[in-house]
Amino acid sequence: MKKIVILASGNGSNAENLVDHFHAEDKIRVVAIISNNLHAGVIERAKKCEVPCVAFNTFAAREAGFLRKLIQSFEPDLVVLAGFLAKITEDVIVAYPKAIVNLHPALLPKFGGKGMYGDFVHRAVIASGERESGITIHWVNAQYDAGEIIAQATTEIAPDETPESLAAKIHVLEFEWFPQIITKILYP
Ligand code: GAR
């Protein structure tokens, strides 16, 4: 049995999808969900799924090594970022080489970087006149959204696309592909 820890800052629909997916099998267990937002929707979802959840505030995070020690306490084989908006500190990256994956709601290397998350990404994609968007699953390094790409999946952009309709299409891709790619990483 391989263990994953999920880091999430927001609504947590991907976190819940991963829990549901992996609990139906016996190969991967979500041992904890960690959030840097005390009011994140993901906290309620974790409770509903009966997965241990730790939420911390920025004050706690100022302590050196806080996030690394918290993650290490769950002894994960893989750290999964699912809508986690805080920067992963260097000590965490060093402690987990090729063992932290991020999900990004666009086709990197375009539309990534600091401040590019959620609807900001979808608005930028539509405004730029792109004909397709998609998801990118990539390794995490010290720069935002710049680690080696593991997998991408695409969707077309309709002429009347809105950030909301594009977000819905992106979630469909995320729910389908993220569990599959995580399984491939842990069971190559
Ligand atoms: C997801 O679409 C994910 O790709 C995106 O945030 C959303 C979280 O939704 N991540 C980023 O934008 C990271 N730069 P969720 O909380 O419902 O899973």
Side-chain angles (χ1 to χ4, degrees):
M1 173 77 77
K2 303 273 187 178
K3 296 191 282 185
I4 66 174
V5 164
I6 298 174
L7 273 56
S9 303
N11 179 24
S13 67
N14 276 285
E16 184 172 356
N17 179 59
L18 292 174
V19 171
D20 288 348
H21 181 95
F22 294 132
H23 280 197
E25 306 171 345
D26 237 3
K27 290 159 69 180
I28 297 168
R29 176 162 302 150
V30 180
V31 289
I33 295 175
I34 294 174
S35 183
N36 64 327
N37 174 0
L38 297 176
H39 308 289
V42 72
I43 297 168
E44 274 310 308
R45 291 184 190 260
K47 273 190 205 153
K48 191 177 78 183
C49 300
E50 299 182 349
V51 172
C53 181
V54 181
F56 60 88
N57 58 25
T58 44
F59 185 71
R62 273 187 224 149
E63 183 194 313
F66 173 83
L67 183 59
R68 174 179 50 77
K69 288 180 207 160
L70 181 57
I71 294 169
Q72 285 174 329
S73 71
F74 295 103
E75 302 182 334
D77 297 289
L78 188 71
V79 179
V80 173
L81 311 189
F84 188 68
L85 305 181
K87 186 113 195 240
I88 300 294
T89 47
E90 186 72 30
D91 62 319
V92 179
I93 289 164
V94 170
Y96 290 96
K98 277 227 165 172
I100 311 173
V101 284
N102 182 43
L103 173 63
H104 187 77
L107 297 171
L108 294 174
K110 287 183 178 178
F111 307 108
K114 193 167 166 49
M116 284 302 251
Y117 60 89
D119 280 353
F120 292 108
V121 177
H122 306 315
R123 279 194 213 118
V125 169
I126 292 169
S128 72
E130 294 284 322
R131 293 171 66 182
E132 63 172 17
S133 188
I135 62 168
T136 302
I137 297 163
H138 65 94
W139 295 115
V140 171
N141 66 12
Q143 283 87 44
Y144 274 109
D145 303 325
E148 185 192 338
I149 292 173
I150 302 165
Q152 292 185 307
T154 61
T155 184
E156 274 182 25
I157 296 179
D160 60 348
E161 202 75 65
T162 64
E164 293 72 30
S165 65
L166 183 54
K169 286 181 180 173
I170 293 293
H171 269 120
V172 171
L173 289 180
E174 292 179 334
F175 293 171
E176 180 184 351
W177 288 102
F178 206 23
Q180 288 192 47
I181 299 299
I182 289 170
T183 305
K184 273 200 192 149
I185 291 169
L186 289 172
Y187 293 94

